[in-house]
Amino acid sequence: DIISLNTKYPGRIEEIFVEDGEEIKKGEVVARLQSTEYQAKLQALNETIDSAEDGLVAMEHEYNIAKESIPLEIKKAQQAVEITKAQKSELDDSISSLKEVAEQDKRDYNRTEVLYAKKLIAEQKVELAKLKLLNSTNQLSGLEQKKVQIEKSIIIAKDTLKLAQVQKQKLFSIRANINATQKKIEALKANREE
């Protein structure tokens, strides 16, 4: 019987492995073709596999770096939040104490003015009481400005923490890309074997 053979790629027969009239079985290699189209496609496929494997190595490296650095960033951000909250708490205590001092200084100043008006104390005592009141008021104002800055620092620290926690999701994304690339490489290699 005469059988017609077809190939996937055009080319010239380079070598024949069977003799004329010899019995062959399904799947048996009967000849080898020399095909420039096949060689070009094979080379392109090998280059695609090499490129995908290089990308896979880069993704795994990025994953390992992120796996180490992201938990450290989260810890650092949590500490920044805790530190700024502690600073605010200390500042609130200082403001509370200084408010009491300023209120006492105001009472002292008012009392010295009354005593001066009655000519019971010297003008210098009134000026000293006024200066003391001004000093405590200025200090209180400075602490309140500092409190505003610390409150802004708390907001920034919380935002940094949120950002670090979002970055943790990046690990899942990188791992998914690694898995997808591994499957792509396997598919390309299977395609090459055909």
Side-chain angles (χ1 to χ4, degrees):
D1 288 339
I2 295 179
I3 297 174
S4 178
L5 297 176
N6 293 318
T7 62
K8 240 183 188 180
Y9 302 100
R12 295 194 175 273
I13 294 177
E14 190 173 85
E15 188 176 352
I16 298 176
F17 300 115
V18 294
E19 295 295 323
D20 218 7
E22 188 178 326
E23 197 174 302
I24 60 170
K25 296 176 183 164
K26 184 178 178 180
E28 186 177 340
V29 177
V30 294
R32 183 173 16 159
L33 290 178
Q34 174 59 34
S35 172
T36 54
E37 183 181 336
Y38 170 75
Q39 292 299 325
K41 286 187 178 186
L42 181 61
Q43 182 179 352
L45 189 57
N46 284 333
E47 288 172 0
T48 302
I49 290 170
D50 290 344
S51 175
E53 286 174 338
D54 290 345
L56 179 62
V57 168
M59 281 187 268
E60 287 173 340
H61 185 65
E62 180 183 4
Y63 177 79
N64 289 332
I65 290 171
K67 193 168 103 176
E68 293 293 321
S69 65
I70 290 173
L72 293 175
E73 289 174 20
I74 290 172
K75 184 177 180 181
K76 182 179 171 184
Q78 288 170 333
Q79 290 172 341
V81 169
E82 291 170 11
I83 288 169
T84 52
K85 283 183 175 181
Q87 288 172 338
K88 183 183 177 290
S89 178
E90 288 176 19
L91 194 59
D92 285 340
D93 291 344
S94 296
I95 288 172
S96 178
S97 296
L98 197 54
K99 277 183 180 178
E100 290 176 13
V101 169
E103 288 170 7
Q104 181 61 47
D105 288 345
K106 185 172 183 173
R107 286 191 296 272
D108 290 347
Y109 173 69
N110 289 339
R111 193 174 21 248
T112 56
E113 277 193 322
V114 169
L115 292 173
Y116 178 71
K118 293 180 180 180
K119 306 266 187 224
L120 296 174
I121 60 170
E123 184 179 1
Q124 179 186 9
K125 296 251 185 194
V126 175
E127 290 173 1
L128 285 174
K130 184 178 181 181
L131 188 60
K132 190 174 176 189
L133 173 61
L134 185 61
N135 185 35
S136 60
T137 305
N138 286 341
Q139 283 180 350
L140 184 60
S141 175
L143 288 180
E144 287 175 346
Q145 288 175 1
K146 192 173 182 180
K147 180 179 176 179
V148 169
Q149 292 172 345
I150 285 180
E151 287 170 343
K152 287 179 183 178
S153 294
I154 289 172
I155 292 169
I156 291 169
K158 285 180 177 179
D159 288 346
T160 302
L161 177 58
K162 285 178 190 175
L163 181 61
Q165 290 168 335
V166 167
Q167 287 292 326
K168 191 174 184 181
Q169 299 302 315
K170 185 178 184 178
L171 288 173
F172 299 113
S173 174
I174 295 170
R175 176 48 62 196
N177 285 337
I178 288 171
N179 292 339
T181 302
Q182 287 171 333
K183 288 177 183 175
K184 177 183 175 183
I185 291 170
E186 289 170 12
L188 289 169
K189 286 181 178 179
N191 196 13
R192 177 176 65 187
E193 297 304 317
E194 291 181 2

